[in-house]
Amino acid sequence: MKKTLLVSIMAALSLGAAEIFVAPPSGVQKNPKVTATSVADALKQAKNYRQQHPGEAIRIVFHEGVYFLDETIYLTPELNDLTICSAPKETVVFDGGAVLKCKKRARLDRNEVLVFDVPAQAVCDGFLDQLYINGRRAQVAQLPKSYFAPHYPEKLLPEAVTDRKKSAFFYKEGDFGPDYYNISGIDIHILSAWNDIHTPIAKHDAKTRQIQFPEKRIIWSKPEETCIVWRNVREALTEKGEYYFDNQKMELYYIPCDGETAENIEAIVPVNSLLFLAAGDEQNNKKVSGITVEGITFRHGGIGRLLYSPAYEIPGAERFPVLHNEYNRRGQTQQGACFDPAVVSFQYADHCRVLNCRVEKSNFYAIGALSGVTDFEVSHNTITDMGAGGILVNGVNAERFPELAKLVSERITICNNHIFECGKFDFAGLGILIGFARGTLVEHNLIHNLNYTGISAGWSWGYAPATGGENRIGFNHIYNIGQKMLSDMGGIYLLGIQPGSRVYNNLVHDISCRYYGGWALYADEGSAHEVWERNVCYDCTRNAFHQHYGRENTIRDNVFAFCEQELIRTSMCEMAQRCNYRFPGLNYSHDFNICGNIFVSDGQPFLRASHMQIFSPDELYSDNNLFFDVKLPVDKSVIAIKKEKGSADWPGGDKVVNDNLAAWQKRGLDRHSVWGDPGFVDAAKRDFHLKENALARQLGFYDPAPTLDFAGLLPQSCTPTPKIENDCYDWYQRHDQKCKAAQAKQYELIFIGDSITHFWSREAGFSHGGDTWEKYFGERALNLGFGFDRTQNVLWRIGHGEVDNQKPKAIILEIGTNQFSGTANYPVDTPLNAYRGIRAVIGALRQRFPQPMPIYVMAIFPRKGLQSQIDAANALTREFCATLPYVKFIDLKAAFTDADGAIKAELYQTDGTHLTPAGYEIWAQAIQAELNKK
């Protein structure tokens, strides 16, 4: 199945880079630039070209096809400034698998099976953990069939609960057959609290029903809360779609589904561990830099079961430098499947990117920054069907190990990724795992259908010094997390001291645990100096927010609703941790601060604590909140409750608090908080938008609409994008000219827009409104109108120099009409997505130009045949602008349309879109009138 590839090199004048074109043999006739060679030869040609042209960027462009990988694609600093990408609109697959041929049909026990030989390189430690049949991950034969069957050990050894490292367990009679075939080939899958364990059987005693592990395993749960599943059991091979691997005969047995035959089945097993690795040279301080991977699908990777050590010890790793795993420096750490690297990995790298890729059908994580990775971007990728999780950021703890300072990871951007249906092998895999890293931006990701936590940041329990902080986690949509598989998990998890970290505007819901946990927002041990704000969280099996212990955390402006237990819980009082402080005196104010939140319950208490001290104003600040229970009146509802049995270690620990709002306020807490229906559109249907006359609006609470409307993947209208359409001018040349103009001169006014703005001055080569431009604005204004531009083009231009060095007195923004101009290059946007794009542009401008400089936002001009869409987008934009100081929405619809809503012909060109000089005169007068108000 290895396909010959064809390559050529030519100069790409528009990009100033060499290009290498690659295609399967079938694509040669379609691509005359292609010449014959292989993937390895493409990289070899790139190296040769680099030797002859040092410092020149290189692009390897792959045309449509499946490219089976003989080995890991491995890039070193000699190939810096390299782009590996797909040709536009073509599907390119890098496949780390091998196709199996069915050698015979046979009967195994009572089942008809297909039999395959398995290549040795697909097997690690005697196990075959992945099989893909016709594009789907096949199910290994296991007992019990379901992870929800009551199947737990009778006893763990050692029996002491405090001794977490277990060496053996006793199974219950009937749970395991002592005469099972090839017991050494059975994989025991153990679900324990927040981690899962895969282990073979070292020794089996049928008389005592004892199973011994090859090495001790950390098991945190009690026996009755420890799930045991026996995988790869031949006697369990009974259902269609299941397989069993015999590691003695190196044969695979598969029961075909209906319609599957030996002739039409495609069976693939991975034979590569890593599919892609870019790694620098630490010894000589040479980082791999400027690597971009774009538009590639990676699949069928991740073989091997890794050891608990400070390095990832994967099959074939002898070719690579040491791949650091700081997660396991302490040894035998299991949380978060942290022993897994990523099939697409970077180490000791800077200014690298993974964009618009798809990673699927593999074990391990999908995309990873292992250590020493800076200025790294992972955006607009799709990640699904992974054995562990989605995106991994490792780093090192330079606070504890200063000699590793050069391996610190920071300034990493993870945005607009879709991560779902992961944790297929290592259930504890996370959507996004950030360890010892600082300055990460995690925004607008869509994460769902995982067995464990959605996003995790921090890897230091308690107040130990750790590299981290300044992490931004916002506008992510996270749901269906946990799926009742593991415990002690949540939608978003922070750990340890993280000064400057913010968790904001996330939509988190449907979080479910196995035995305990199941929190939307989780501040674990030692969480400190964090801000959790403007999140909307609901429908959790436990709480919307849980703080284990921490200090000086702020929880404000959130909506917490409808959890099976309390909405907020803290499980340990900070007073117990004061012994960890190294300096004298009072060094913090409160455990946490709760203010400006909207709480909606359906009979459950609002706050729960395990210790009385938390209910003291010295430990807790809570005020200016809005409480409401849809089932109970104010005097019957419970604001705060303390249920756990106390001990002598906690003064007053045996007392139980069960306060309604009046009693709670007598304690000095929530003195200015109120009770009442917030006024959601339909809370029962989980629509938490506020009605126009909502009580929450009247009281000045934060409107959750930005979180509800913008959390999750951004539409294309919000994604910075260069030229999309071919128009009658050179888009890139105009951009370069405008960047130079911005550097050469300061302008009083900046007009930003599409062709309607472009055609106003005489720059387009003709004059629709040149006289009006010169009359009102002339040389004091910079025209940044670009024909056929959409909001995403404007976002790109703002971020690429067109407004740099400028300090204008005002900006006039006119954009949005082309969101409704459907072409072969771009579909028609919805009014909501058009508004989102306009809003994103306003936000980008406000970041560049802070108040009090005004931004005048033009309503999308009336346009023939599109008025209903335009009106809907304008209504949303008008409402948004009304919430912002120094942003003025200007709507000229009344001046440009008749009483019946038709556009005035004298103000428009014959296309019904662009303006005549008379139209520009009306627009100019409106702008000048606003400027005169200053």
Side-chain angles (χ1 to χ4, degrees):
M1 294 297 293
K2 299 293 186 279
K3 297 186 177 181
T4 301
L5 308 178
L6 302 175
V7 187
S8 70
I9 299 180
M10 66 178 298
L13 298 178
S14 63
L15 296 174
E19 288 193 328
I20 301 173
F21 293 90
V22 186
S26 60
V28 174
Q29 298 299 323
K30 300 177 183 178
N31 301 283
K33 298 177 182 179
V34 170
T35 59
T37 187
S38 65
V39 171
D41 286 339
L43 293 175
K44 183 177 180 179
Q45 288 190 35
K47 293 177 183 178
N48 292 337
Y49 189 87
R50 175 58 53 74
Q51 290 175 357
Q52 299 172 23
H53 303 83
E56 185 172 338
I58 302 173
R59 284 165 50 90
I60 302 178
V61 181
F62 286 83
H63 287 283
E64 185 154 357
V66 177
Y67 299 85
F68 283 88
L69 304 178
D70 291 319
E71 59 183 7
T72 302
I73 298 173
Y74 176 35
L75 303 184
T76 60
E78 64 182 323
L79 276 178
N80 284 351
D81 299 315
L82 173 69
T83 295
I84 294 176
C85 63
S86 63
K89 300 182 180 180
E90 296 188 25
T91 300
V92 174
V93 178
F94 287 179
D95 198 311
V99 178
L100 305 182
K101 290 185 178 180
C102 178
K103 69 176 185 178
K104 63 180 179 180
R105 299 179 181 86
R107 177 172 290 277
L108 185 67
D109 298 330
R110 287 183 276 180
N111 299 293
E112 294 288 339
V113 298
L114 302 179
V115 184
F116 302 84
D117 284 328
V118 177
Q121 62 266 40
V123 180
C124 185
D125 297 327
F127 292 101
L128 183 72
D129 296 322
Q130 301 178 79
L131 170 67
Y132 298 90
I133 300 292
N134 293 338
R136 60 175 173 79
R137 185 184 292 254
Q139 173 63 50
V140 68
Q142 68 178 41
L143 292 172
K145 299 292 186 182
S146 171
Y147 278 87
F148 297 107
H151 213 255
Y152 48 87
E154 189 171 79
K155 184 169 63 175
L156 295 166
L157 290 181
E159 293 187 64
V161 176
T162 54
D163 191 344
R164 305 296 188 186
K165 293 184 178 181
K166 306 298 183 182
S167 59
F169 70 89
F170 295 89
Y171 58 86
K172 294 183 176 181
E173 188 171 1
D175 281 356
F176 184 79
D179 56 349
Y180 282 163
Y181 173 81
N182 189 20
I183 288 178
S184 65
I186 293 175
D187 172 30
I188 307 176
H189 195 189
I190 305 172
L191 303 186
S192 165
W194 56 78
N195 55 48
D196 66 324
I197 300 162
H198 288 273
T199 180
I201 297 173
K203 186 177 180 180
H204 172 230
D205 189 329
K207 292 183 178 180
T208 63
R209 303 194 304 276
Q210 185 188 67
I211 297 287
Q212 289 187 11
F213 304 142
E215 58 182 6
K216 288 187 175 183
R217 299 293 189 174
I218 299 176
I219 299 179
W220 288 84
S221 303
K222 303 173 185 177
E224 64 272 20
E225 294 181 357
T226 301
C227 175
I228 299 289
V229 173
W230 315 87
R231 303 175 78 253
N232 201 49
V233 178
R234 196 178 82 172
E235 288 75 8
L237 185 64
T238 58
E239 304 297 323
K240 295 176 181 179
E242 293 181 339
Y243 76 94
Y244 169 75
F245 172 62
D246 187 335
N247 62 9
Q248 296 178 342
K249 298 180 179 180
M250 293 295 287
E251 288 184 337
L252 182 147
Y253 307 98
Y254 173 73
I255 301 179
C257 295
D258 292 341
E260 292 178 342
T261 67
E263 292 73 29
N264 69 12
I265 203 167
E266 181 187 60
I268 296 180
V269 293
V271 292
N272 281 269
S273 190
L274 301 187
L275 301 178
F276 177 96
L277 172 65
D281 181 355
E282 299 172 34
Q283 301 301 320
N284 296 299
N285 293 321
K286 293 181 179 179
K287 282 196 169 186
V288 64
S289 179
I291 303 297
T292 296
V293 183
E294 185 170 8
I296 305 293
T297 294
F298 294 88
R299 69 171 60 137
H300 300 144
I303 63 168
R305 297 188 175 188
L306 308 187
L307 303 176
Y308 307 115
S309 69
Y312 296 107
E313 300 181 11
I314 59 175
E318 59 273 3
R319 320 176 40 212
F320 313 136
V322 174
L323 301 179
H324 301 286
N325 185 4
E326 185 73 3
Y327 292 120
N328 279 313
R329 181 167 291 276
R330 297 187 303 169
Q332 294 237 348
T333 301
Q334 297 171 183
Q335 187 164 350
C338 62
F339 36 76
D340 287 341
V343 294
V344 177
S345 286
F346 292 75
Q347 179 170 278
Y348 206 51
D350 66 8
H351 294 94
C352 295
R353 303 182 299 168
V354 181
L355 310 174
N356 297 298
C357 290
R358 183 180 181 92
V359 188
E360 63 179 10
K361 297 179 175 63
S362 300
N363 276 357
F364 302 166
Y365 280 83
I367 302 170
L370 303 187
S371 63
V373 178
T374 56
D375 298 291
F376 181 54
E377 180 181 358
V378 184
S379 297
H380 299 94
N381 302 285
T382 299
I383 296 170
T384 186
D385 195 2
M386 298 300 299
I391 298 170
L392 168 74
V393 179
N394 194 329
V396 297
N397 188 2
E399 297 293 326
R400 184 177 177 185
F401 303 100
E403 69 275 12
L404 300 178
K406 69 178 181 180
L407 296 180
V408 166
S409 293
E410 60 186 357
R411 298 187 303 277
I412 293 174
T413 298
I414 303 172
C415 293
N416 285 284
N417 301 285
H418 188 187
I419 303 170
F420 63 105
E421 295 292 348
C422 295
K424 296 296 186 179
F425 180 75
D426 291 317
F427 284 13
L430 297 102
I432 299 173
L433 172 57
I434 301 169
F436 297 107
R438 60 192 177 209
T440 57
L441 176 65
V442 184
E443 279 193 340
H444 290 291
N445 299 285
L446 177 60
I447 303 173
H448 59 96
N449 291 79
L450 307 180
N451 297 318
Y452 195 48
T453 295
I455 299 173
S456 176
W459 202 258
S460 179
W461 284 257
Y463 297 115
T467 299
E470 293 292 341
N471 296 310
R472 307 289 194 266
I473 302 173
F475 287 102
N476 302 286
H477 186 184
I478 304 170
Y479 68 94
N480 200 20
I481 298 298
Q483 302 182 112
K484 298 185 177 180
M485 284 292 186
L486 294 170
S487 301
D488 204 287
M489 40 66 61
I492 300 176
Y493 172 97
L494 263 58
L495 176 68
I497 299 175
Q498 296 209 39
S501 290
R502 292 177 60 229
V503 178
Y504 54 94
N505 295 97
N506 298 283
L507 178 60
V508 186
H509 58 95
D510 292 284
I511 312 298
S512 58
C513 62
R514 193 175 190 90
Y515 293 112
Y516 76 97
W519 304 300
L521 308 178
Y522 183 11
D524 202 3
E525 298 184 14
S527 291
H529 316 301
E530 302 161 357
V531 175
W532 305 70
E533 62 182 346
R534 302 180 177 183
N535 304 285
V536 176
C537 306
Y538 58 91
D539 288 342
C540 302
T541 54
R542 293 302 183 265
N543 320 112
F545 180 89
H546 175 215
Q547 178 170 300
H548 186 22
Y549 67 82
R551 68 175 193 257
E552 295 176 308
N553 296 311
T554 298
I555 301 93
R556 67 188 180 203
D557 299 332
N558 302 282
V559 173
F560 296 142
F562 303 130
C563 292
E564 292 184 16
Q565 293 186 353
E566 304 76 21
L567 296 177
I568 286 185
R569 178 180 178 181
T570 177
S571 54
M572 184 176 288
C573 178
E574 176 49 42
M575 185 177 291
Q577 305 302 317
R578 288 182 179 175
C579 59
N580 290 325
Y581 296 132
R582 295 173 292 170
F583 306 108
L586 184 64
N587 48 19
Y588 73 97
S589 55
H590 299 90
D591 287 4
F592 55 123
N593 308 279
I594 309 172
C595 55
N597 302 284
I598 300 175
F599 297 94
V600 180
S601 180
D602 56 354
Q604 298 292 344
F606 293 92
L607 174 66
R608 176 177 178 173
S610 58
H611 303 285
M612 284 288 295
Q613 288 78 5
I614 295 173
F615 293 157
S616 165
D618 293 333
E619 300 291 328
L620 169 66
Y621 175 82
S622 184
D623 206 354
N624 296 301
N625 299 296
L626 175 58
F627 295 100
F628 185 64
D629 193 312
V630 298
K631 290 182 178 178
L632 300 175
V634 59
D635 58 330
K636 300 295 183 181
S637 66
V638 177
I639 296 295
I641 189 169
K642 189 272 179 190
K643 282 188 175 180
E644 285 94 346
K645 181 176 175 60
S647 69
D649 297 331
W650 300 94
D654 289 325
K655 295 181 180 178
V656 175
V657 173
N658 197 336
D659 284 351
N660 60 20
L661 182 59
W664 183 246
Q665 290 176 329
K666 287 182 179 180
R667 294 181 181 274
L669 296 162
D670 281 286
R671 290 177 297 177
H672 304 95
S673 297
V674 297
W675 178 278
D677 186 340
F680 295 128
V681 170
D682 194 336
K685 294 182 178 180
R686 303 315 189 243
D687 185 347
F688 295 103
H689 288 87
L690 294 176
K691 299 175 183 177
E692 185 175 351
N693 62 344
L695 174 63
R697 287 189 189 276
Q698 298 174 28
L699 296 175
F701 281 83
Y702 178 76
D703 189 341
T707 300
L708 298 169
D709 295 342
F710 285 89
L713 299 176
L714 284 175
Q716 289 179 286
S717 60
C718 300
T719 304
T721 307
K723 175 184 175 181
I724 295 176
E725 306 289 355
N726 293 318
D727 210 337
C728 58
Y729 70 103
D730 189 322
W731 192 94
Y732 285 102
Q733 182 183 63
R734 180 170 173 80
H735 168 66
D736 290 340
Q737 292 171 347
K738 293 302 178 181
C739 289
K740 291 176 181 177
Q743 292 297 321
K745 178 183 175 180
Q746 291 284 332
Y747 291 87
E748 293 182 20
L749 305 173
I750 297 178
F751 287 76
I752 300 175
D754 47 42
S755 56
I756 299 176
T757 298
H758 189 172
F759 294 169
W760 197 344
S761 64
R762 301 184 192 277
E763 296 174 5
F766 50 84
S767 179
H768 281 181
D771 291 342
T772 304
W773 179 269
E774 292 167 6
K775 173 183 174 182
Y776 287 92
F777 312 118
E779 295 298 321
R780 67 189 180 114
L782 176 62
N783 186 318
L784 296 182
F786 280 56
F788 231 139
D789 259 17
R790 298 178 174 89
T791 52
Q792 55 265 51
N793 304 123
V794 173
L795 288 168
W796 190 92
R797 294 195 280 118
I798 291 172
H800 286 77
E802 288 190 10
V803 295
D804 290 359
N805 194 44
Q806 291 297 303
K807 297 180 181 179
K809 294 181 179 178
I811 289 178
I812 298 89
L813 174 65
E814 174 273 317
I815 196 68
T817 191
N818 289 319
Q819 309 306 131
F820 306 113
S821 300
T823 69
N825 296 326
Y826 189 78
V828 173
D829 271 320
T830 63
L832 176 60
N833 284 345
Y835 153 69
R836 286 171 168 170
I838 296 169
R839 176 173 174 150
V841 173
I842 295 170
L845 290 173
R846 184 49 77 205
Q847 284 187 331
R848 293 270 178 165
F849 303 102
Q851 301 171 9
M853 189 217 70
I855 299 174
Y856 298 107
V857 179
M858 302 302 304
I860 301 173
F861 281 100
R863 184 172 173 181
K864 187 176 181 179
L866 296 173
Q867 204 52 48
S868 60
Q869 298 101 305
I870 288 173
D871 285 346
N874 282 340
L876 293 168
T877 306
R878 178 187 292 107
E879 183 178 359
F880 172 64
C881 291
T883 67
L884 302 177
Y886 301 102
V887 175
K888 176 68 180 294
F889 184 75
I890 301 176
D891 191 350
L892 300 181
K893 179 181 178 181
F896 279 79
T897 57
D898 295 328
D900 60 359
I903 61 173
K904 294 181 179 179
E906 67 273 16
L907 302 182
Y908 283 87
Q909 303 290 331
T910 55
D911 60 11
T913 299
H914 297 97
L915 306 182
T916 62
Y920 280 116
E921 177 69 27
I922 294 173
W923 185 8
Q925 290 178 3
I927 295 299
Q928 191 58 55
E930 293 295 334
L931 296 174
N932 291 340
K933 293 178 182 179
K934 295 181 61 179

